[in-house]
Amino acid sequence: MSGSRDVVLGRVRRALADVPASERPEDVAVPRDYRTTHTDDDPARTLDLLGAHLADYRARVHRCGEEDIPQRVTELLAERGSRAVVVPAGLPSAWLSRAAGVEVVTDDPGLTHARLDGVGSVVTGCALAIAETGTLVLDASPDQGSRRISLIPDHHVCVVRAPAQVVASVPLALPRLDPARPLTWISGPSATSDIELDRVEGVHGPRVLDVIIATTDG
């Protein structure tokens, strides 16, 4: 990318080489006053928009209070019949505290792909959720783990803490994300389609995405 930029700028400089400095175009300031969001500054409306757009991508949306996260996670795992669940090392232990009879597999370097492939569900947090695009962003923080755990199990439960982790738009999200981290952007369950537009889910990741939007006091 930088090599191409240098080539283009080099050609511009050579083209201007015989033009007197007084006749060369001056640098023009580029206005950056464009809108960063199309959503009203209303947290309740932003949450509603996030839920609607997640549902548009065929994610299943569940809203509850922070204290209800353990019960909701337990219900979703039971609904899928998951006997084992993989979790990031830094996931709050309380979230799985009611999942009796479910084997908890921790994401660590010793976890093989074969073992991960045998796990039915994964539970993670997220870095941010973007309302206008219905997108979840994971950045491999301790409560999110490595990218592979959000790709291999067939069922992903992602917890979004609202309103702290919810932003209206991509321009508002980018300043809050570290580009040096491995960012995974998720809009609904994995899906693809062929030339006939036949939709197939689960080819590149989970077929089922459950999003718990948990309202917190902080």
Side-chain angles (χ1 to χ4, degrees), residues 5-18:
R5 178 177 181 274
D6 293 340
V7 169
V8 171
L9 293 178
R11 289 176 178 173
V12 172
R13 294 188 187 97
R14 288 192 295 274
L16 294 174
D18 59 347

Side-chain angles (χ1 to χ4, degrees), residues 56-201:
D56 283 344
Y57 281 117
R58 301 193 188 183
R60 306 192 310 176
V61 181
H62 316 271
R63 296 179 66 165
C64 66
E66 184 176 20
E67 68 281 0
D68 298 319
I69 293 175
Q71 182 62 34
R72 194 55 59 92
V73 168
T74 299
E75 292 170 352
L76 294 174
L77 295 179
E79 180 183 322
R80 292 292 300 173
S82 297
R83 298 182 178 180
V85 57
V86 63
V87 301
L91 193 81
S93 58
W95 291 2
L96 274 296
S97 61
R98 299 187 184 180
V102 177
E103 179 187 3
V104 177
V105 179
T106 303
D107 177 31
D108 60 43
L111 180 61
T112 66
H113 287 179
R115 177 70 179 98
L116 184 55
D117 189 42
V119 175
S121 299
V122 56
V123 178
T124 73
C126 73
L128 287 177
I130 305 172
E132 289 182 357
T133 60
T135 303
L136 307 173
V137 186
L138 279 61
D139 67 359
S141 290
D143 66 338
Q144 298 154 52
S146 60
R147 176 176 287 150
R148 62 179 181 158
I149 69 172
S150 67
L151 296 176
I152 296 179
D154 198 48
H155 175 220
H156 183 185
V157 179
C158 185
V159 178
V160 179
R161 299 189 217 194
Q165 292 183 324
V166 179
V167 295
S169 66
V170 173
L172 294 179
L174 291 177
R176 294 179 54 177
L177 297 169
D178 182 354
R181 298 190 66 83
L183 301 177
T184 301
W185 299 63
I186 301 171
S187 295
S190 166
T192 188
S193 60
D194 59 19
I195 195 171
E196 300 294 336
L197 300 182
D198 292 326
R199 180 183 173 98
V200 179
E201 297 181 348

Side-chain angles (χ1 to χ4, degrees), residues 8-71:
V8 171
L9 293 178
R11 289 176 178 173
V12 172
R13 294 188 187 97
R14 288 192 295 274
L16 294 174
D18 59 347
V19 177
S22 59
E23 298 179 13
R24 295 180 186 177
E26 298 180 357
D27 291 338
V28 178
V30 178
R32 302 291 184 184
D33 55 351
Y34 42 75
R35 296 180 64 179
T36 57
T37 178
H38 297 279
T39 305
D40 298 335
D41 187 17
D42 180 351
R45 169 168 165 71
T46 301
L47 284 184
D48 289 342
L49 188 64
L50 173 64
H53 285 171
L54 285 168
D56 283 344
Y57 281 117
R58 301 193 188 183
R60 306 192 310 176
V61 181
H62 316 271
R63 296 179 66 165
C64 66
E66 184 176 20
E67 68 281 0
D68 298 319
I69 293 175
Q71 182 62 34

